[in-house]
Amino acid sequence: MTPKGVTLNTNSHKIKFARRFIRTLLRMRKNAPSSSSIEEIRKRSQRIKIAAYSSMAHAVGSRRAWSRAILFKLRNRARHHGMMRRRSMKKRVIKNDPPGDQSQTNKLRQLVPGGKAMDMCSLLEETAHYISCLSTQVKVMQTIADHLSK
């Protein structure tokens, strides 16, 4: 039941993310090993992190460059059975960036998935959306943690 005047948008990114993330966590819990060694805890933590990013990227879909980059990376990782491969990518320099901001722009390109191939305007737009989705991710995960700690 929702409070008066509040509608529940079941198509929102937050709801889609929460459903997918919880479903993944339940699947992980069902398949969890019985040992709790430091190495197992580290692996479980990494799987939760990957599940969070994957769930958010799937909730957003392929409309955003950052979500496409995450989904591509996860598909590529799955194809290679978790083997980490690094490719040397040429850094693309955009000529219309202000000269003093070049290092800050490159740092931002490294932080936003898929940001290396974007012009400055697209990079800022994707960054704003990515931050918004990360904020949603934190809120959902905090809600889950609060609920489980009661």
Side-chain angles (χ1 to χ4, degrees), residues 61-75:
S62 61
R63 291 174 294 215
R64 293 293 185 166
W66 68 262
S67 64
R68 287 191 304 270
I70 288 175
L71 292 171
F72 176 78
K73 184 177 180 179
L74 292 172
R75 271 189 231 112

Side-chain angles (χ1 to χ4, degrees), residues 55-115:
S55 298
M56 194 74 237
H58 277 97
V60 171
S62 61
R63 291 174 294 215
R64 293 293 185 166
W66 68 262
S67 64
R68 287 191 304 270
I70 288 175
L71 292 171
F72 176 78
K73 184 177 180 179
L74 292 172
R75 271 189 231 112
N76 204 23
R77 179 180 285 171
R79 281 188 200 127
H80 294 93
H81 303 286
M83 197 167 74
M84 302 278 287
R85 293 186 340 162
R86 293 188 180 239
R87 294 181 185 168
S88 60
M89 293 185 72
K90 291 182 180 179
K91 288 187 178 180
R92 191 173 137 187
V93 178
I94 306 299
K95 292 182 180 179
N96 58 355
D97 290 341
D101 294 337
Q102 191 62 39
S103 64
Q104 296 294 328
T105 303
N106 284 337
K107 287 179 185 176
L108 188 58
R109 282 195 174 101
Q110 291 172 355
L111 290 172
V112 177

Side-chain angles (χ1 to χ4, degrees), residues 75 80 138 142 146:
R75 271 189 231 112
H80 294 93
V138 169
Q142 185 63 52
D146 289 346

